[in-house]
Amino acid sequence: MTESELLNLVLAHLDRLNRFAQQLCRDDDAAEDLVQEAFIRALAVRGQLRDASRALPWLLSIIRSRHLEKARRAQRRLELVDEEGELADPPVGNLEEELLRGVLSDEVARALTEEQRTCVWLCDVEGLSYADIAEVVGCPVGTVRSRIARARARLMESLAAYAQERGIRGGRP
Amino acid sequence: MKQCADLELLSAEVDGAIDEHQARALRGHIESCARCGTVRAELLLLKTAVRDQSAKGAAPETLKQRLVARMKRRRMQTRGAIFAAAIAATAMVFMLARRPRELAAQLVGDHILMTLDGAPLEVRGEELPAIERWFAGKLDFALRLPALPGARIVGGRLCSIAGRRVALTFYEKDGRRLSLFVMDDAGVRREGCEPVRGFTVCHAPARGVEYALVTDLTAAQAKLLLRSGVEGLR
């Protein structure tokens, strides 16, 4: 695949790539940076993409892995140096999880794990197949299926609790 | 299918991710099982709600232009040494344009982490000279801390940004935590304020040192606060 062909593929999918990046970053500027960095990475490894019809999940997977790399690097950057220049204990907390809390931004969705949010987002919003989602997140199709089901069970529980709190009646027999 | 379907199967069915044989059996069961029918209806509603409530905006035109520009630069790089100087100049311009925003994003990230996670201070105190003495010899420049009007210093610690040792100091003002980063300006003069991820980042230079204040104050308030403090150092 030539660089021009790859650019055309990226431009064809750009709306979806940018939306996914926005969901991960929750910041429009950071999302644009992420897409651009992913594009540079994609140019470097474009030989991996043998079938242009598989471009979308391949590009989404690069965006996600690039985002994870940045999150890890941000955590390392904060490693503090002590008086002798040795590394001190890293700060407590999980910055990565904090940064990844973008997918499905409402309060109900915060109950989900990052993997669950990503799978549900890619399935329901971007309409990807389970096989494509598996490629993006790097796990078996069966895992995608169970993650989505568990996420929906959790969302339904949360929504039921939400409805009950507000006196909204359900109709399940 | 005689037994009720589990949620995973119903969930996969609403996504069209089961084979036709399974789907036919499941549909037959649902016709005679109100419970499974209700759960499937709820799953469909949920799927629709997630899809409809998510923004579906188009990518900004600027992003397309950036990608095309990146591609053009890449092509130039492959055309040989004759263009090397021009490429380097272009890249430098591009890097300089991006650098402030990247730095600001890093500073905000550190501010959030240090504030929310309550990372311990390496030095505590309310006297600026005492804090400055603690940093003496730990940085590549002489640290002078500004007195920010209405704010009191509470401590600080060393951190590392882009391979440089940076003094990260904390002030408190009206119950708010402010992070003041002090670093060698590396020959780049930054001044002014910008919003980043809901925070305000203000930069002010003084004698080859850059002061960067991260706060949730408004840009006008933060700018005034930092400018007053840094002017007191000049």
Side-chain angles (χ1 to χ4, degrees):
Chain A
M1 170 161 308
T2 65
E3 292 185 348
S4 295
E5 287 170 340
L6 180 62
L7 176 64
N8 288 335
L9 284 172
V10 168
L11 293 178
H13 293 299
L14 194 57
D15 291 350
R16 302 172 89 178
L17 300 177
N18 191 54
R19 276 201 301 269
F20 185 54
Q22 284 174 332
Q23 290 305 313
L24 293 172
C25 300
R26 299 181 69 184
D27 178 287
D28 290 352
D29 289 342
E32 285 191 38
D33 287 347
L34 179 59
V35 171
Q36 175 160 331
E37 289 164 20
F39 174 57
I40 293 166
R41 176 71 184 149
L43 282 171
V45 297
R46 65 186 187 281
Q48 294 173 359
L49 182 64
R50 302 192 185 287
D51 179 358
S53 69
R54 308 292 307 151
L56 180 61
W58 182 72
L59 291 165
L60 290 171
S61 73
I62 292 175
I63 286 176
R64 185 169 183 266
S65 61
R66 182 74 195 138
H67 178 68
L68 290 171
E69 280 171 27
K70 288 178 77 171
R72 291 190 191 103
R73 210 170 50 232
Q75 199 162 30
R76 277 201 298 274
R77 188 164 36 75
L78 271 175
E79 287 178 343
L80 305 168
V81 286
D82 66 13
E83 202 165 338
E84 287 74 39
E86 298 294 325
L87 291 178
D89 290 338
V92 294
N94 189 337
L95 178 65
E96 187 171 304
E97 176 63 20
E98 179 70 23
L99 292 172
L100 291 170
R101 213 171 270 166
V103 177
L104 304 179
S105 60
D106 62 278
E107 289 300 319
V108 174
R110 284 172 191 271
L112 306 182
T113 66
E114 184 275 324
E115 289 89 353
Q116 289 173 340
R117 285 194 297 273
T118 298
C119 290
V120 168
W121 168 268
L122 292 173
C123 178
D124 292 350
V125 180
E126 297 302 343
L128 264 63
S129 69
Y130 283 9
D132 286 351
I133 297 170
E135 186 176 334
V136 174
V137 299
C139 70
V141 171
T143 305
V144 170
R145 175 170 147 148
S146 59
R147 275 182 190 166
I148 290 174
R150 278 201 295 269
R152 286 174 175 157
R154 190 75 185 266
L155 285 172
M156 289 201 296
E157 282 171 17
S158 300
L159 289 170
Y162 178 89
Q164 195 170 20
E165 279 170 18
R166 285 155 183 77
I168 303 165
R169 290 180 188 174
R172 189 183 297 190
Chain B
M1 178 181 272
K2 292 180 180 175
Q3 288 187 327
C4 284
D6 61 24
L7 185 73
E8 188 171 319
L9 185 64
L10 285 164
S11 170
E13 193 271 336
V14 301
D15 291 330
I18 61 176
D19 63 41
E20 186 51 37
H21 175 72
Q22 280 183 310
R24 205 177 306 121
L26 186 56
R27 281 196 294 270
H29 172 77
I30 286 172
E31 281 176 12
S32 60
C33 177
R35 182 187 169 281
C36 286
T38 302
V39 173
R40 182 180 182 278
E42 287 177 353
L43 285 167
L44 272 173
L45 272 175
L46 182 63
K47 183 178 173 69
T48 307
V50 170
R51 185 191 62 212
D52 292 349
Q53 288 177 17
S54 302
K56 285 245 177 187
E61 194 60 34
T62 51
L63 177 56
K64 295 175 189 171
Q65 291 166 359
R66 283 172 66 183
L67 297 182
V68 173
R70 163 61 69 170
M71 181 79 153
K72 285 179 180 169
R73 268 203 320 284
R74 224 179 124 84
R75 282 181 180 161
M76 282 175 70
Q77 286 168 343
T78 62
R79 287 181 188 166
I82 193 168
F83 295 111
I87 292 166
T90 307
M92 182 61 73
V93 168
F94 188 74
M95 280 171 62
L96 287 174
R98 281 174 50 84
R99 190 173 167 184
R101 196 169 62 187
E102 288 183 354
L103 175 67
Q106 287 179 11
L107 299 180
V108 169
D110 289 2
H111 170 75
I112 292 170
L113 200 69
M114 303 302 283
T115 305
L116 297 184
D117 286 349
L121 302 177
E122 291 180 314
V123 57
R124 290 177 188 277
E126 299 191 358
E127 298 294 329
L128 294 173
I131 304 291
E132 288 170 348
R133 278 197 298 277
W134 184 85
F135 279 103
K138 299 183 176 75
L139 300 165
D140 300 328
F141 56 91
L143 176 66
R144 293 184 66 214
L145 290 171
L148 303 180
R152 65 183 182 90
I153 195 161
V154 293
R157 64 186 309 160
L158 279 170
C159 69
S160 176
I161 293 179
R164 288 182 293 162
R165 284 194 177 194
V166 172
L168 170 52
T169 57
F170 302 106
Y171 290 69
E172 282 184 358
K173 178 178 170 57
D174 303 329
R176 289 182 161 102
R177 173 67 71 92
L178 287 67
S179 294
L180 180 69
F181 296 80
V182 190
M183 64 198 94
D184 182 347
D185 70 4
V188 179
R189 183 185 170 90
R190 272 181 282 266
E191 193 159 15
C193 297
E194 57 189 319
V196 180
R197 291 175 64 188
F199 291 88
T200 300
V201 181
C202 287
H203 306 268
R207 296 181 178 178
V209 172
E210 176 176 354
Y211 294 83
L213 181 68
V214 182
T215 171
D216 57 0
L217 292 170
T218 66
Q221 291 170 324
K223 187 176 181 180
L224 182 63
L225 193 65
L226 184 60
R227 193 171 61 191
S228 303
V230 170
E231 280 177 355
L233 296 172
R234 287 169 182 157

